[in-house]
Amino acid sequence: PTYFVDQSRLYDPALRRKVRKAVGSQGIYLREGVYACMRGRTYETPAEIGMLRVLGADQVGMSTIFEAQVALAMGAKVLAISLITNEGAGIQEGATLSHDEVAETGQRNQEPFARIMEIALPILVRESVSLKRASLERGRNLVVGGKVESVTDESFAEARNLLDPNEPPFGLGAF
């Protein structure tokens, strides 16, 4: 990956618009906001949530940004769709955060979130194939099936086989 990559458009604006329009056409409203990331494996403290609110965060998580930064550094178009599963510490007076609440909220929203993915995935697949073609034309490296493929003039014909429509398009966890 390339280091010191511009993060000002970490999440691809055109991809965001396409997915938001497609999801919206099905009557599903997606909110956009500022996602803050903490290192995790613990929930944030009320003081951390307060600090992040002052800094303009709308939601807080323990991942997504790290994966998105690596994907962007590798030349991918990046989109993130998050399911907010709990309110931050200190938002509801006297409330205690628990993993059970997070898991229950995730289960309760499994069907609507799956519907969003059903709408978004075809767009992501088309973008992935488009990105592969553009990368092939420019002679860049590609990430295919978790493996970096260097595409040069000599390997162009072989690399074209990477566009097999039956091939899984990319690692969706990060892209």
Side-chain angles (χ1 to χ4, degrees):
T2 304
Y3 296 97
F4 307 109
V5 175
D6 179 14
Q7 303 290 304
S8 60
R9 288 195 172 90
L10 178 58
Y11 303 108
D12 186 77
L15 192 53
R16 287 170 38 206
R17 278 191 301 276
K18 288 176 186 177
V19 169
R20 188 174 200 164
K21 181 178 178 181
V23 170
S25 74
Q26 299 298 309
I28 302 170
Y29 174 70
L30 296 177
R31 287 181 44 188
E32 289 194 21
V34 176
Y35 182 97
C37 187
M38 302 295 282
R39 69 177 180 83
R41 300 302 292 198
T42 62
Y43 293 114
E44 298 75 28
T45 67
E48 289 170 322
I49 294 296
M51 171 193 71
L52 292 168
R53 280 181 133 177
V54 168
L55 294 174
D58 298 304
Q59 57 187 352
V60 181
M62 297 178 214
S63 64
T64 306
I65 290 178
F66 303 122
E67 296 88 348
Q69 288 173 326
V70 170
L72 182 67
M74 296 180 83
K77 292 182 180 183
V78 180
L79 173 75
I81 301 174
S82 300
L83 172 63
I84 309 304
T85 55
N86 69 310
E87 293 195 46
I91 295 199
Q92 288 187 350
E93 187 73 32
T96 302
L97 300 179
S98 75
H99 184 68
D100 290 341
E101 174 192 2
V102 170
E104 178 186 319
T105 302
Q107 284 294 322
R108 193 171 56 248
N109 288 284
Q110 186 174 357
E111 285 185 36
F113 197 77
R115 180 67 187 128
I116 293 168
M117 292 295 102
E118 288 171 0
I119 297 166
L121 281 174
I123 295 166
L124 297 174
V125 168
R126 284 192 300 274
E127 289 294 322
S128 174
V129 170
S130 173
L131 179 62
K132 285 180 184 180
R133 285 193 176 109
S135 294
L136 287 172
E137 291 164 10
R138 289 193 307 263
R140 295 187 54 196
N141 288 339
L142 302 176
V143 178
V144 179
K147 185 170 95 176
V148 175
E149 299 281 346
S150 180
V151 181
T152 63
D153 289 339
E154 296 80 37
S155 63
F156 183 83
E158 182 181 328
R160 295 287 293 170
N161 294 332
L162 298 174
L163 299 175
D164 182 340
N166 297 317
E167 172 200 309
F170 46 77
L172 195 56
F175 292 65

